[in-house]
Amino acid sequence: MRKHIFNAGPCKLSDRTLENTSKAIVELENSGQSILEVSHRSKDFQAVMDDAVALFKEVLDIPENYTILFLGGGASMQFCMIPYNFMKKKAFYLNTGTWSNKAIKEAKMWGEVVEVSSKDKGFTYIPKDLNVPSDVDYVHITTNNTISGTEILEDYNFDAPLIADMSSDILSRPVDVSKYAMIYGGAQKNMGPAGVTFVIIRNDMLEKVADRQIPTMLKYATHMSKGSMFNTPPCVNIFACRETLAWVKEMGGLDAMNKLADDRATLLYNAIDDSKMFKGTVAKEDRSRMNIIFVMEEQYKDLEAEFISFAGTKNCIGIKGHRDVGGFRASTYNASTMADVETLVAAMKEFEANHA
Ligand SMILES: Cc1ncc(COP(=O)(O)O)c(C=O)c1O
């Protein structure tokens, strides 16, 4: 029986992604070879790559003047590539938690970081008055904070190029891509398996590259000029992303994903707010729809481990909170169903009735 998977990433993927990827591992679409065996230079794999790019463009409504890349190295490699390529003197970083912090650490190697942070309240909110200086090379934000459980649901407007880490909320809502110079993320939440990184980059960013020696593999220009095939790309992962993108389209696209995200999050946050045992940790207006974080009220704290075991008996897995925050984190990405969330909510209610 398939469990109700609330893992933060890698995480639940659509049945279509799992079924078609497993078929392709046996044989890639009548090619007589597995996706694990096929040459990345073959027409069979090129068709997969082209399709993945075309679907990404269609589903996210990406304008013509952007290039889509599928790379290795994870979002963490982008933390280093972004300042390496684009930071001349100064960049603005919105620090909304662990992942922004890691990005900032890399940027500080290349210049001055102007930072606005929500650290004063343990990253439980999104700072609102950003006051971005006019002379920054770019602005970096993390739209969904996988660990602290906050999310930015609007597309900001800045004069400087806006770069967004959307690792954990890509494809969960329509985005006005034209407001961003670059959007990137590790695929392992809403897109596919771990091991591939998506980058959506506006072509004119190549004109803004800093005048310094950059290793070939770390240059955006290298990958943009070679259609993500400068070196061997993660073929099977790209295949799985293509299947997820096709699934999103089949489900009704990003409007449908957006509604589902709202419905799932509303159900779970309402259950948290109505409970006397559980409580949320994040400012309500900034709550993430992808990573729902909650803890037990002080008098019930000793029951946290017991609740995780109890939820396990209902087949709900992956709800243990991140070690930096404690409590619980239910990650409800695109492939999570209402049934998954309803089962968790029922478990919370039953546990509370048994103990409160
Ligand atoms: C928002 C965010 N950014 C970056 C990362 C790091 O991604 P990767 O492991 O692909 O380097 C994660 C991983 O969970 C994340 O949630």
Side-chain angles (χ1 to χ4, degrees), residues 7-225:
N7 295 336
C11 62
K12 187 172 180 186
L13 293 173
S14 77
D15 289 347
R16 175 184 171 135
T17 309
L18 303 181
E19 282 159 17
N20 288 354
T21 307
S22 53
K23 277 187 204 145
I25 285 176
V26 178
E27 184 181 7
L28 174 65
E29 291 155 13
N30 301 317
S31 67
Q33 52 193 328
S34 161
I35 181 75
L36 302 178
E37 299 167 324
V38 72
S39 164
H40 62 294
R41 305 282 174 207
S42 67
K43 68 173 179 11
D44 295 300
F45 182 71
Q46 188 63 54
V48 172
M49 177 68 100
D50 292 347
D51 219 23
V53 168
L55 276 163
F56 209 173
K57 280 191 174 156
E58 182 183 345
V59 168
L60 198 59
D61 196 15
I62 302 171
E64 278 308 307
N65 56 328
Y66 287 74
T67 299
I68 293 169
L69 304 173
F70 289 108
L71 306 175
S76 302
M77 180 71 95
Q78 298 303 310
F79 295 165
C80 124
M81 280 175 73
I82 291 162
Y84 214 156
N85 282 262
F86 302 126
M87 193 164 181
K88 291 171 185 156
K89 283 204 173 80
K90 195 198 273 191
F92 180 93
Y93 277 71
L94 179 58
N95 185 354
T96 45
T98 307
W99 297 111
S100 324
N101 249 317
K102 292 194 176 185
I104 289 168
K105 187 170 167 235
E106 301 299 307
K108 282 186 172 165
M109 293 184 203
W110 302 105
E112 184 191 342
V113 171
V114 180
E115 182 182 329
V116 169
S117 165
S118 52
K119 194 172 179 195
D120 57 339
K121 292 188 183 158
F123 300 112
T124 55
Y125 73 104
I126 302 286
K128 302 294 178 307
D129 293 323
L130 299 189
N131 280 328
V132 174
S134 59
D135 59 344
V136 292
D137 297 316
Y138 60 87
V139 173
H140 182 280
I141 61 172
T142 313
T143 51
N144 185 71
N145 296 285
T146 323
I147 294 175
S148 45
T150 58
E151 188 173 11
I152 299 168
L153 285 169
E154 69 175 288
D155 299 314
Y156 291 152
N157 249 327
F158 294 114
D159 292 335
L162 176 60
I163 299 181
D165 174 356
M166 291 198 189
S167 293
S168 51
D169 65 350
I170 189 79
L171 302 177
S172 65
R173 68 175 175 94
V175 165
D176 181 353
V177 176
S178 70
K179 297 231 173 105
Y180 298 84
M182 184 176 143
I183 295 172
Y184 71 95
Q188 63 272 17
K189 282 82 152 102
N190 277 337
M191 280 276 286
V196 60
T197 313
F198 61 86
V199 175
I200 302 163
I201 182 165
R202 204 172 59 216
N203 297 336
D204 70 358
M205 285 302 282
L206 287 188
E207 292 155 24
K208 300 181 194 299
V209 172
D211 183 20
R212 63 168 69 95
Q213 291 276 330
I214 303 174
T216 312
M217 272 295 283
L218 299 183
K219 277 186 196 163
Y220 288 105
T222 303
H223 302 289
M224 288 167 77
S225 66

